[in-house]
Amino acid sequence: QSRYGQVARYDSNYSLNNPNSWQFFDTTQINYSSRGFFGAILYKEFIYFIPHCKAEGIYNGQITRYNRNKNFTDFNAWSVCNTENYHSLSKGYIGGAIIGGYLYLAPYETAPGVQSGLVIQINLNEPSIWH
């Protein structure tokens, strides 16, 4: 079963049941693998969505980030970095932290029932890794 990349944003100036309170963006529009997140981390002007699995049993390392200084539905506000480009076991994350400009992601599963993987350190000050 596929996972989704639908991100919802709530405007707290309105009530929860007001349709004007909500905006939506499907991250698979920028990259098909940008889906199946397991949490997000806010750091400076960016929100980093933690990659977990894009379909049942198919784990990924596609970090997706949103620049809060840009329009939520603007494709240029979104970018990706695939940790699997660094190592094939760099995927299936379940949490993370940002310390000193570095994003650290904690692995959970790299395959169904396989609790292994790599903690990865991403330098957030390196613009060339984001596409």
Side-chain angles (χ1 to χ4, degrees), residues 9-18 20-22:
R9 181 169 81 168
Y10 169 64
D11 183 343
S12 62
N13 292 312
Y14 301 98
S15 67
L16 279 170
N17 60 353
N18 183 332
N20 294 323
S21 302
W22 298 95

Side-chain angles (χ1 to χ4, degrees), residues 41-48 66-69 98 100-101 124-125:
I41 302 172
L42 171 65
Y43 180 71
K44 296 186 178 180
E45 71 271 22
F46 294 102
I47 299 173
Y48 297 88
Y66 164 63
N67 184 334
R68 298 180 312 132
N69 294 329
I98 296 176
L124 298 179
N125 298 311

Side-chain angles (χ1 to χ4, degrees), residues 6 11 17 45 63 77 82 91 99 111 117 119 126 128:
Q6 185 84 344
D11 183 343
N17 60 353
E45 71 271 22
I63 303 169
N82 190 345
K91 59 186 176 180
I99 302 167
V119 172
E126 179 55 55
S128 66

Side-chain angles (χ1 to χ4, degrees), residues 33-67:
S33 291
S34 292
R35 55 195 168 113
F37 307 115
F38 204 101
I41 302 172
L42 171 65
Y43 180 71
K44 296 186 178 180
E45 71 271 22
F46 294 102
I47 299 173
Y48 297 88
F49 295 87
I50 299 170
H52 184 62
C53 65
K54 57 186 173 182
E56 187 66 35
I58 302 174
Y59 296 87
N60 73 350
Q62 183 80 31
I63 303 169
T64 302
R65 75 176 184 175
Y66 164 63
N67 184 334

Side-chain angles (χ1 to χ4, degrees), residues 2-7 24-37 49 53-55 60 62-65 75 78-80:
S2 288
R3 303 299 191 257
Y4 301 97
Q6 185 84 344
V7 177
F24 301 93
F25 187 81
D26 182 358
T27 57
T28 61
Q29 295 178 90
I30 56 165
N31 187 292
Y32 183 69
S33 291
S34 292
R35 55 195 168 113
F37 307 115
F49 295 87
C53 65
K54 57 186 173 182
N60 73 350
Q62 183 80 31
I63 303 169
T64 302
R65 75 176 184 175
F75 282 66
W78 298 85
S79 54
V80 297

